[in-house]
Amino acid sequence: MDPGFSMEDFGAKSQRSVIELQTYEKCPNEGNKELHFLGRQSRINRTLVVENANITFRVPFDDNMKVKLAIDIWGNGGWRPNGFVMEWSNGCTDLLAVLGEPGKALFNHMTLVGRINGNTTTESTEQIHPDYKCPVPVGVYHERNMDISLYSNMNAPRFIHGRWRMNVSFIRKRDKQLLGCIRRVLQVVYKNKKAT
Protein backbone atom coordinates (compact mmCIF):
# COMPACT_ATOMS: atom_id res chain seq x y z
CA MET A 1 0.00 0.00 0.00
CA ASP A 2 1.29 3.42 -0.96
CA PRO A 3 0.72 5.79 2.00
CA GLY A 4 0.32 8.71 -0.45
CA PHE A 5 3.55 10.61 0.22
CA SER A 6 7.26 10.32 -0.29
CA MET A 7 10.05 11.15 2.14
CA GLU A 8 11.50 13.39 -0.59
CA ASP A 9 8.34 15.53 -0.33
CA PHE A 10 9.47 16.78 3.07
CA GLY A 11 13.09 17.71 2.36
CA ALA A 12 16.44 16.41 3.53
CA LYS A 13 16.26 18.04 6.97
CA SER A 14 13.07 16.17 7.81
CA GLN A 15 14.77 12.78 7.37
CA ARG A 16 17.13 13.44 10.31
CA SER A 17 14.30 14.01 12.78
CA VAL A 18 12.76 11.99 15.61
CA ILE A 19 9.10 12.13 16.65
CA GLU A 20 8.55 12.49 20.40
CA LEU A 21 4.92 11.92 21.42
CA GLN A 22 4.06 14.24 24.29
CA THR A 23 0.42 14.23 25.40
CA TYR A 24 -3.13 13.32 24.54
CA GLU A 25 -5.69 16.13 24.28
CA LYS A 26 -9.46 15.99 24.04
CA CYS A 27 -10.74 16.55 20.51
CA PRO A 28 -13.10 19.55 20.20
CA ASN A 29 -15.58 17.29 18.37
CA GLU A 30 -15.50 13.59 19.29
CA GLY A 31 -18.48 12.68 17.11
CA ASN A 32 -20.85 9.97 18.30
CA LYS A 33 -18.02 8.07 20.11
CA GLU A 34 -18.66 4.77 18.35
CA LEU A 35 -14.84 4.70 18.29
CA HIS A 36 -13.61 6.12 21.59
CA PHE A 37 -10.03 6.56 22.80
CA LEU A 38 -8.85 7.52 26.25
CA GLY A 39 -5.10 7.44 26.75
CA ARG A 40 -2.25 8.69 28.88
CA GLN A 41 1.51 8.44 29.09
CA SER A 42 3.65 7.56 32.10
CA ARG A 43 7.38 8.06 32.54
CA ILE A 44 8.84 4.85 33.97
CA ASN A 45 12.44 6.06 34.16
CA ARG A 46 14.78 8.54 32.47
CA THR A 47 14.61 6.78 29.09
CA LEU A 48 11.29 4.89 29.08
CA VAL A 49 7.84 6.43 28.58
CA VAL A 50 4.87 4.07 28.16
CA GLU A 51 1.37 4.57 26.88
CA ASN A 52 -1.80 3.15 28.42
CA ALA A 53 -5.22 3.48 26.78
CA ASN A 54 -8.80 2.31 26.83
CA ILE A 55 -10.10 1.83 23.30
CA THR A 56 -13.77 1.17 22.58
CA PHE A 57 -15.06 0.03 19.17
CA ARG A 58 -18.87 0.04 19.17
CA VAL A 59 -18.67 -0.68 15.45
CA PRO A 60 -16.00 -2.74 13.69
CA PHE A 61 -12.98 -0.70 12.63
CA ASP A 62 -13.02 -1.48 8.92
CA ASP A 63 -12.83 0.03 5.44
CA ASN A 64 -16.40 1.38 5.60
CA MET A 65 -14.84 4.45 7.20
CA LYS A 66 -12.15 6.85 6.13
CA VAL A 67 -9.40 8.28 8.31
CA LYS A 68 -8.56 11.97 8.15
CA LEU A 69 -5.27 13.27 9.53
CA ALA A 70 -5.06 17.02 10.15
CA ILE A 71 -1.87 18.35 11.67
CA ASP A 72 -1.76 21.74 13.38
CA ILE A 73 1.48 23.72 13.69
CA TRP A 74 2.56 25.58 16.83
CA GLY A 75 3.86 29.05 16.18
CA ASN A 76 3.66 32.65 17.40
CA GLY A 77 2.11 31.57 20.69
CA GLY A 78 -0.75 29.47 19.29
CA TRP A 79 -1.89 26.62 17.08
CA ARG A 80 -2.33 27.17 13.35
CA PRO A 81 -4.84 24.57 12.14
CA ASN A 82 -4.56 22.24 9.18
CA GLY A 83 -0.90 22.79 8.33
CA PHE A 84 -0.95 19.35 6.75
CA VAL A 85 -4.06 17.30 5.86
CA MET A 86 -4.35 13.76 4.48
CA GLU A 87 -7.25 11.35 4.04
CA TRP A 88 -7.16 7.60 3.63
CA SER A 89 -10.33 6.25 2.02
CA ASN A 90 -9.90 2.65 3.22
CA GLY A 91 -9.66 3.55 6.90
CA CYS A 92 -8.57 0.31 8.51
CA THR A 93 -6.35 -1.10 5.75
CA ASP A 94 -4.63 2.23 5.08
CA LEU A 95 -4.07 3.08 8.74
CA LEU A 96 -2.56 -0.33 9.50
CA ALA A 97 -0.20 0.17 6.53
CA VAL A 98 0.88 3.58 7.86
CA LEU A 99 1.37 2.26 11.40
CA GLY A 100 3.51 -0.64 10.14
CA GLU A 101 5.65 -2.39 12.77
CA PRO A 102 4.61 -0.02 15.60
CA GLY A 103 1.00 -0.97 14.85
CA LYS A 104 1.84 -4.65 15.32
CA ALA A 105 3.46 -3.81 18.67
CA LEU A 106 0.36 -1.79 19.64
CA PHE A 107 -1.94 -4.75 18.89
CA ASN A 108 0.33 -7.01 20.97
CA HIS A 109 -0.20 -4.60 23.90
CA MET A 110 -4.01 -4.54 23.43
CA THR A 111 -6.25 -7.00 25.26
CA LEU A 112 -9.99 -7.49 24.79
CA VAL A 113 -11.59 -6.81 28.19
CA GLY A 114 -15.24 -6.34 27.22
CA ARG A 115 -17.66 -7.58 24.59
CA ILE A 116 -20.30 -5.19 23.29
CA ASN A 117 -23.78 -6.36 22.27
CA GLY A 118 -26.05 -3.41 21.49
CA ASN A 119 -25.99 -1.15 24.54
CA THR A 120 -24.68 -3.90 26.83
CA THR A 121 -21.01 -4.53 27.64
CA THR A 122 -20.02 -7.80 29.29
CA GLU A 123 -16.61 -8.49 30.77
CA SER A 124 -14.38 -10.78 28.76
CA THR A 125 -12.52 -13.41 30.78
CA GLU A 126 -10.28 -14.31 27.84
CA GLN A 127 -6.95 -12.58 27.25
CA ILE A 128 -7.42 -12.00 23.53
CA HIS A 129 -5.06 -9.81 21.50
CA PRO A 130 -6.67 -8.67 18.24
CA ASP A 131 -5.07 -9.85 15.00
CA TYR A 132 -3.23 -7.18 13.02
CA LYS A 133 -5.75 -7.22 10.19
CA CYS A 134 -9.05 -5.68 9.18
CA PRO A 135 -11.68 -5.49 10.41
CA VAL A 136 -10.86 -4.97 14.09
CA PRO A 137 -13.84 -6.50 15.96
CA VAL A 138 -16.26 -4.63 18.19
CA GLY A 139 -15.12 -4.59 21.81
CA VAL A 140 -13.45 -2.76 24.67
CA TYR A 141 -9.67 -3.05 24.59
CA HIS A 142 -6.99 -2.06 27.07
CA GLU A 143 -3.55 -1.10 25.82
CA ARG A 144 -0.95 -1.47 28.54
CA ASN A 145 2.66 -0.29 28.83
CA MET A 146 3.44 0.32 25.14
CA ASP A 147 6.89 1.91 24.78
CA ILE A 148 6.10 5.09 22.82
CA SER A 149 9.55 5.20 21.24
CA LEU A 150 8.30 2.39 18.95
CA TYR A 151 6.12 4.95 17.13
CA SER A 152 9.27 6.52 15.65
CA ASN A 153 9.30 3.68 13.10
CA MET A 154 5.90 4.45 11.55
CA ASN A 155 5.52 4.69 7.77
CA ALA A 156 4.66 8.36 8.24
CA PRO A 157 6.15 11.56 6.90
CA ARG A 158 8.89 13.22 8.95
CA PHE A 159 8.39 16.89 9.59
CA ILE A 160 10.79 19.70 10.28
CA HIS A 161 11.58 20.34 13.93
CA GLY A 162 8.91 21.96 16.06
CA ARG A 163 5.70 21.28 17.93
CA TRP A 164 2.77 19.69 16.10
CA ARG A 165 -0.75 18.59 17.05
CA MET A 166 -2.10 15.52 15.28
CA ASN A 167 -5.89 15.17 14.88
CA VAL A 168 -7.03 11.76 13.61
CA SER A 169 -10.74 11.57 12.73
CA PHE A 170 -12.66 8.40 11.88
CA ILE A 171 -15.57 9.11 9.49
CA ARG A 172 -18.20 6.65 8.24
CA LYS A 173 -18.23 6.93 4.45
CA ARG A 174 -21.91 6.36 3.72
CA ASP A 175 -23.28 9.24 5.82
CA LYS A 176 -20.10 11.21 6.68
CA GLN A 177 -20.77 10.68 10.42
CA LEU A 178 -17.80 11.39 12.69
CA LEU A 179 -17.33 8.21 14.74
CA GLY A 180 -14.41 9.30 16.91
CA CYS A 181 -11.21 11.28 17.14
CA ILE A 182 -7.71 11.06 18.64
CA ARG A 183 -5.62 14.16 19.32
CA ARG A 184 -1.90 13.93 20.18
CA VAL A 185 0.71 16.62 20.65
CA LEU A 186 4.16 15.74 19.43
CA GLN A 187 7.57 17.34 19.20
CA VAL A 188 9.92 16.78 16.27
CA VAL A 189 13.59 17.09 17.13
CA TYR A 190 16.70 16.61 15.03
CA LYS A 191 18.91 13.59 15.63
CA ASN A 192 22.53 14.28 16.57
CA LYS A 193 24.61 14.50 13.41
CA LYS A 194 27.31 11.90 13.00
CA ALA A 195 30.81 13.11 12.27
CA THR A 196 31.72 12.74 8.60
Side-chain angles (χ1 to χ4, degrees):
M1 201 279 317
D2 177 11
F5 51 79
S6 163
M7 290 306 295
E8 288 76 31
D9 295 339
F10 299 92
K13 287 184 180 179
S14 63
Q15 295 180 23
R16 295 189 310 266
S17 60
V18 174
I19 298 172
E20 295 179 350
L21 296 174
Q22 293 186 327
T23 61
Y24 280 95
E25 289 184 353
K26 185 175 172 130
C27 292
N29 181 1
E30 295 181 292
N32 65 11
K33 296 185 179 182
E34 287 187 1
L35 299 178
H36 188 252
F37 307 88
L38 183 62
R40 67 177 174 17
Q41 292 179 186
S42 303
R43 179 167 294 282
I44 302 301
N45 58 41
R46 187 174 56 81
T47 59
L48 178 62
V49 177
V50 297
E51 174 179 78
N52 292 284
N54 294 333
I55 305 163
T56 302
F57 296 133
R58 294 196 172 281
V59 295
F61 178 46
D62 59 20
D63 289 342
N64 290 315
M65 59 187 76
K66 65 181 180 178
V67 175
K68 178 180 177 182
L69 170 67
I71 297 185
D72 306 333
I73 304 166
W74 179 262
N76 297 328
W79 289 108
R80 292 178 289 174
N82 301 321
F84 176 79
V85 178
M86 287 192 79
E87 284 191 11
W88 292 286
S89 58
N90 294 315
C92 183
T93 301
D94 294 346
L95 188 61
L96 294 188
V98 169
L99 287 173
E101 289 302 315
K104 292 177 184 175
L106 170 65
F107 274 49
N108 285 334
H109 284 81
M110 286 172 51
T111 305
L112 179 69
V113 295
R115 298 188 182 278
I116 298 174
N117 187 1
N119 291 330
T120 306
T121 303
T122 56
E123 188 175 333
S124 174
T125 56
E126 308 164 62
Q127 295 294 311
I128 298 174
H129 300 284
D131 292 328
Y132 195 64
K133 65 180 184 180
C134 298
V136 179
V138 169
V140 178
Y141 298 89
H142 285 175
E143 173 203 4
R144 295 294 177 254
N145 300 321
M146 165 87 170
D147 178 354
I148 65 167
S149 70
L150 296 172
Y151 286 117
S152 290
N153 298 321
M154 285 190 301
N155 298 323
R158 300 289 189 249
F159 294 95
I160 60 172
H161 75 283
R163 192 170 179 213
W164 304 80
R165 184 169 64 190
M166 178 177 63
N167 304 282
V168 182
S169 300
F170 302 89
I171 302 161
R172 188 168 38 227
K173 289 193 268 191
R174 79 176 142 80
D175 60 2
K176 297 182 173 62
Q177 171 69 50
L178 178 62
L179 303 175
C181 173
I182 302 171
R183 177 180 267 189
R184 297 290 305 258
V185 175
L186 53 100
Q187 185 80 25
V188 178
V189 296
Y190 288 134
K191 291 181 182 178
N192 293 331
K193 292 183 182 178
K194 294 181 180 177
T196 55

